[in-house]
Amino acid sequence: MEICGLVTEKNEPVPLKSISVEVLVQDHVATVSSTLQYVNEEERPLEALFVLPLPADAAVCHFSAKIGEQEIVAEVQDKETARDQYDDAVSSGQQAFLLEESAESPDVFRLSVGCLSAGQNAAVTIIYVTELAVQADHSLRFCLPAVLNPRYTPAGSAAGIVSEISSGAVPYTLTLSVHVSSPKPISKLESNCTLDPLLFLHADSQCSCELSKPISKLESNCTLDPLVFLHSDHTQATVNLSPGHMFDKDVELFVYYQDTHQPSAIVEAGVTTALPGSLMRDPVVMISLYPEFPEEVMKSLATRGEFVFVIDRSGSMDSMMHQGKGAQMCIESAKDTLLLLLKSLPVGCYFNIYGFGSDFESFFPQSVEYNQDTMDEALKRVKEMRADMGGTEILEPLKHIYSQRCYPDHPRQLFIFTDGEVGNTKEVLDLVKSHAHSHRCFSFGIGEGASAALITGMAREGSGHAQFITDSDRMQPKVMQSLRFALQPAVVNISVDWILPDGVTVDTLSPPISVLFQGQRALIYAQLKGESSGGSEGTVTVKYSLKDQPLTNQLHFCLKPTEETGLSIHRLAARTLIRSLEQEERSGAAGVEGIRSRMVELSVQAGVSSVHTAFIAVNKDSRQTVKGPLLQRRVPTYNALMQANCDSYEACCLMEAYDWDIETDSNEGAVQSQQAESECKQRAAPEPPKDPLLQLVSLQKASGCWDLDATLVDGSVWATLLALIWLYGCKIEQQVEWQFVAMKAASWIGSQKVGDLSQCVCAGNVLLGCQVTKETLGI
């Protein structure tokens, strides 16, 4: 892993001064416009290089530069052609701007600003569109990435992602404005920072559009100015990040709508000047489906399965989850989560736990049956886990897991926990996809800077679900939500049928749907061809089987295009198709050259980024003699790992060497890094007090009961009943974390054939000061 010297450490000017971002959220699609203000304060022309993270599934659709009053809009070209044009322009003294996607990971872009004259300003604007991911609490998550931690590149691999890493606050600021409009109601804005009271205003002359339903809630992990509702019915809202924000953390916003789970369709008109028959000429529809499974099916969660937990134990997992009060180390939070998972598994399933870093190890040679003995042995080893395994090599443990035989009637469920910083992302995703038929993959990105491309990609290719644990988030609720998904019976035989008016045909652009979860969104992009001979409505029907029961979800939609969508649906559809073609190319499919040509053609037509194209802009009016090579300035990005545990930058650098550089010939670096790690731990915050919920859960047996114990009271039934009453009476706000623990306990009590439990429940309520009914306990 190459990490360049720090510009700020050398006291050299950083040409990037500020970033201004405007976000327009329309239902669950965000259009993001970022303007980067560059100033050359030096006496010679320079070239500024900036490696910047973007959301993994973003479709970059505009790139331009403004020098003075002159604006130059970039074109999308074949990447090699664009690079040659950039080099030629810069060498001849012309100002040039190049934006290209990393070959290693689709969530990292390289921005080159060439031949910026002494004393000159340049404003570079990047616009992209992205879907907002649905969270466990039904909010929609928008993330503006700021942190780009070093990406671990395995030995023998090609050069990885090279970025300038800042050890302190980055020397540029961020301003952010978000405008939300939706046909669904918005309710509130929440943040882990103090917010002023919300302001509700009637529409004024600045608002140009009227929508029919309110907006309900926005959340952020940063300090925001008050939320301003522009319509009294809450159909639109505007919020701004408080001034002076240093861009040293990912900015997350959570949008809450009422009636989130209503299926919907957006039909977007094409461009009349585009080539006939092309994607950009025809209308495109985006279908959002939220399958609802029958209640009787959902009550009978699976009691079988093979659960494989894969835990990142690289050195970077020794960082703090966040910098606030009560923060845990990432590895400690992962250990607490494993405790909950192990206590929540159904008796009779199979399980195993892997730890990985530069190498990997497993608790058992192969997955073992879940019982009291195997659970006890696993918990003992969980307590001993440390973040002491070096780099982040996730490919080899996955290869080993996939080589293990599957157990009949026990579908494999893979849970992967990582801070997600690898340089071979696409190779990992291809491996997961090649084994999608044999497992479901649930992935968890831990901490700032986790690679969204890796985390979301593994879940997508493994037909699972992705979660991000950042800032002050607790890991346990999100993981237990994913466990509920994993315990849902697998949906099979999924098909999509269309009914359209005569004269209209459909070309589906999205890959076939391979997974459906209760209440989770499934997206379909499709191109509508031809013209209707009279009908104005279409129907899409999704059919599937669940536990041998045939089910159908249907949506009727209007074929009339939605107004003012700005081609965002076309660009997201093009991005979806390009990603599918990229994977087809990497798989070695026949006709690779044809696939590549199709990608470049689609990228140029739609004006969106791809791995084979780049945005290039040249100011042909500028030309000056450049003597000698241009000054080169790399713009630093923030590295959360360097600030995790240590006040000393030098000590953290040693830790980084231990984590990222696995090709050191001697052990000296490792010894120094271990010493630095020890120093950091001595300066780390004191360990937070034990969570009483986890203390109680740790005493539960694999069967679901609590045994006679000096810390409880006599009698296993009585002890288990008291534990249940305490959970429902005192920890109801954390029910998502202990729901499976409680289900096992109630099931165990039911199997004991105890007489009248009502009096026991009353006595337990008196003892614990609760008011829980027998029905609430489910016994």
Side-chain angles (χ1 to χ4, degrees), residues 355-522:
F356 72 92
S358 299
D359 199 357
F360 67 91
E361 62 182 27
S362 60
F363 282 15
F364 307 100
Q366 60 186 34
S367 294
V368 296
E369 186 175 352
Y370 176 77
N371 55 40
Q372 188 64 47
D373 291 339
T374 55
M375 186 191 76
D376 285 344
E377 183 177 348
L379 286 173
K380 180 181 178 183
R381 296 194 62 175
V382 166
K383 290 181 180 178
E384 299 168 352
M385 285 174 55
R386 300 288 182 270
D388 56 2
M389 295 186 70
T392 312
E393 174 53 271
I394 196 171
L395 191 65
E396 293 307 315
L398 287 179
K399 286 181 178 178
H400 175 80
I401 291 167
Y402 292 142
S403 71
Q404 300 286 303
R405 68 177 181 88
C406 294
Y407 290 88
D409 300 323
H410 287 274
R412 178 171 288 167
Q413 315 282 356
L414 197 60
F415 284 65
I416 301 177
F417 300 82
T418 178
D419 52 17
E421 296 136 6
V422 300
N424 56 346
T425 296
K426 293 182 179 180
E427 192 176 357
V428 172
L429 301 188
D430 289 344
L431 177 66
V432 174
K433 184 175 179 63
S434 67
H435 292 84
H437 62 283
S438 65
H439 80 301
R440 291 194 288 191
C441 181
F442 299 87
S443 52
F444 304 89
I446 303 171
E448 299 283 355
S451 168
L454 178 69
I455 304 305
T456 60
M458 287 191 296
R460 181 183 64 247
E461 305 302 350
S463 301
H465 187 256
Q467 301 266 23
F468 288 88
I469 299 102
T470 58
D471 206 62
S472 58
D473 288 347
R474 281 175 57 83
M475 189 183 299
Q476 291 82 5
K478 296 190 174 185
V479 174
M480 301 312 291
Q481 174 71 33
S482 292
L483 179 60
R484 174 166 284 277
F485 288 156
L487 290 173
Q488 287 183 19
V491 173
V492 296
N493 302 325
I494 303 172
S495 66
V496 178
D497 298 320
W498 300 79
I499 300 175
L500 298 168
D502 292 340
V504 180
T505 59
V506 65
D507 186 2
T508 303
L509 306 173
S510 304
I513 298 176
S514 58
V515 61
L516 289 172
F517 291 119
Q518 164 81 7
Q520 283 297 298
R521 184 184 65 200

Side-chain angles (χ1 to χ4, degrees), residues 6-9 14 16 146 165-173 244-249 635-640 642-643 649:
L6 298 178
V7 172
T8 51
E9 291 295 310
V14 176
L16 179 60
I165 304 298
S166 172
S167 63
V170 290
Y172 44 88
T173 58
H245 179 79
M246 301 306 292
F247 201 20
D248 56 2
K249 67 190 301 185
V635 178
T637 51
Y638 184 74
N639 178 7
M642 288 188 176
Q643 293 296 317
Y649 168 64

Side-chain angles (χ1 to χ4, degrees), residues 426 430 433-434 580-596 599 612:
K426 293 182 179 180
D430 289 344
K433 184 175 179 63
S434 67
S580 297
L581 290 169
E582 286 178 3
Q583 195 162 60
E584 193 176 339
E585 179 189 38
R586 293 196 304 273
S587 69
V592 170
E593 282 303 316
I595 294 171
R596 186 185 185 281
M599 265 191 284
H612 292 306

Side-chain angles (χ1 to χ4, degrees), residues 696-708:
L696 178 71
V697 169
S698 69
L699 298 174
Q700 189 185 33
K701 297 296 183 181
S703 63
C705 77
W706 275 263
D707 262 358
L708 177 66

Side-chain angles (χ1 to χ4, degrees), residues 302-303 305-309 338-353 368 370-371 375 413 415 480 483 487 700-704 740-741 744:
T303 57
E306 179 194 8
F307 298 87
V308 181
F309 305 112
L338 275 176
L339 166 66
L340 267 178
L341 284 167
L342 287 172
K343 295 291 185 174
S344 301
L345 292 179
V347 175
C349 71
Y350 288 80
F351 80 102
N352 204 351
I353 298 175
V368 296
Y370 176 77
N371 55 40
M375 186 191 76
Q413 315 282 356
F415 284 65
M480 301 312 291
L483 179 60
L487 290 173
Q700 189 185 33
K701 297 296 183 181
S703 63
F740 297 111
V741 166
K744 285 173 66 175

Side-chain angles (χ1 to χ4, degrees), residues 471-729:
D471 206 62
S472 58
D473 288 347
R474 281 175 57 83
M475 189 183 299
Q476 291 82 5
K478 296 190 174 185
V479 174
M480 301 312 291
Q481 174 71 33
S482 292
L483 179 60
R484 174 166 284 277
F485 288 156
L487 290 173
Q488 287 183 19
V491 173
V492 296
N493 302 325
I494 303 172
S495 66
V496 178
D497 298 320
W498 300 79
I499 300 175
L500 298 168
D502 292 340
V504 180
T505 59
V506 65
D507 186 2
T508 303
L509 306 173
S510 304
I513 298 176
S514 58
V515 61
L516 289 172
F517 291 119
Q518 164 81 7
Q520 283 297 298
R521 184 184 65 200
L523 286 179
I524 304 172
Y525 292 97
Q527 182 178 354
L528 301 175
K529 298 181 176 180
E531 293 187 10
S532 171
S533 58
S536 61
E537 186 176 83
T539 302
V540 61
T541 304
V542 180
K543 299 178 181 178
Y544 51 93
S545 296
L546 186 65
K547 298 192 74 172
D548 299 324
Q549 181 177 344
L551 297 170
T552 298
N553 291 125
Q554 194 171 74
L555 173 66
H556 302 281
F557 63 95
C558 179
L559 292 176
K560 183 181 178 182
T562 305
E563 296 181 1
E564 297 184 12
T565 50
L567 291 178
S568 59
I569 306 303
H570 277 76
R571 286 163 175 156
L572 288 171
R575 187 276 329 266
T576 299
L577 188 52
I578 287 170
R579 294 291 184 238
S580 297
L581 290 169
E582 286 178 3
Q583 195 162 60
E584 193 176 339
E585 179 189 38
R586 293 196 304 273
S587 69
V592 170
E593 282 303 316
I595 294 171
R596 186 185 185 281
S597 298
R598 171 70 175 131
M599 265 191 284
V600 172
E601 178 187 29
L602 187 60
S603 176
V604 172
Q605 283 182 1
V608 299
S609 55
S610 79
V611 71
H612 292 306
T613 54
F615 285 86
I616 173 71
V618 176
N619 183 7
K620 295 181 180 178
D621 294 336
S622 68
R623 191 180 296 274
Q624 58 182 329
T625 304
V626 179
K627 296 180 180 179
L630 287 173
L631 293 177
Q632 216 178 66
R633 296 290 177 257
R634 295 183 181 273
V635 178
T637 51
Y638 184 74
N639 178 7
L641 299 177
M642 288 188 176
Q643 293 296 317
N645 300 327
C646 305
D647 299 324
S648 165
Y649 168 64
E650 291 77 15
C652 285
C653 284
L654 290 172
M655 289 182 68
E656 286 298 304
Y658 180 52
D659 195 354
W660 303 112
D661 184 6
I662 65 168
E663 298 182 276
T664 304
D665 291 330
S666 71
N667 291 327
E668 182 180 355
V671 171
Q672 288 177 325
S673 64
Q674 288 169 348
Q675 291 172 348
E677 183 178 2
S678 176
E679 282 184 38
C680 290
K681 285 182 177 178
Q682 290 174 12
R683 289 197 297 271
E687 186 176 337
K690 294 292 185 181
D691 186 338
L693 171 61
L694 293 177
Q695 285 183 293
L696 178 71
V697 169
S698 69
L699 298 174
Q700 189 185 33
K701 297 296 183 181
S703 63
C705 77
W706 275 263
D707 262 358
L708 177 66
D709 189 282
T711 61
L712 293 172
V713 295
D714 290 346
S716 296
V717 172
W718 180 227
T720 305
L721 188 62
L722 282 176
L724 273 178
I725 293 172
W726 184 80
L727 288 173
Y728 279 99

Side-chain angles (χ1 to χ4, degrees), residues 215-247:
I215 302 170
S216 53
K217 177 169 68 169
L218 292 174
E219 285 188 341
S220 175
N221 65 336
C222 301
T223 303
L224 298 170
D225 285 345
L227 179 65
V228 177
F229 284 105
L230 299 179
H231 283 200
S232 58
D233 62 358
H234 297 188
T235 58
Q236 297 191 44
T238 295
V239 67
N240 296 301
L241 193 65
S242 295
H245 179 79
M246 301 306 292
F247 201 20

Side-chain angles (χ1 to χ4, degrees), residues 176-224:
L176 174 70
S177 176
V178 182
H179 183 83
V180 184
S181 65
S182 174
K184 301 188 179 85
I186 305 175
S187 61
K188 67 175 178 178
L189 171 66
E190 291 184 348
S191 173
N192 65 338
C193 306
T194 303
L195 294 178
D196 292 335
L198 302 186
L199 300 180
F200 299 89
L201 303 178
H202 289 283
D204 56 24
S205 59
Q206 296 176 348
C207 183
S208 60
C209 53
E210 294 284 345
L211 294 172
S212 59
K213 295 182 181 177
I215 302 170
S216 53
K217 177 169 68 169
L218 292 174
E219 285 188 341
S220 175
N221 65 336
C222 301
T223 303
L224 298 170

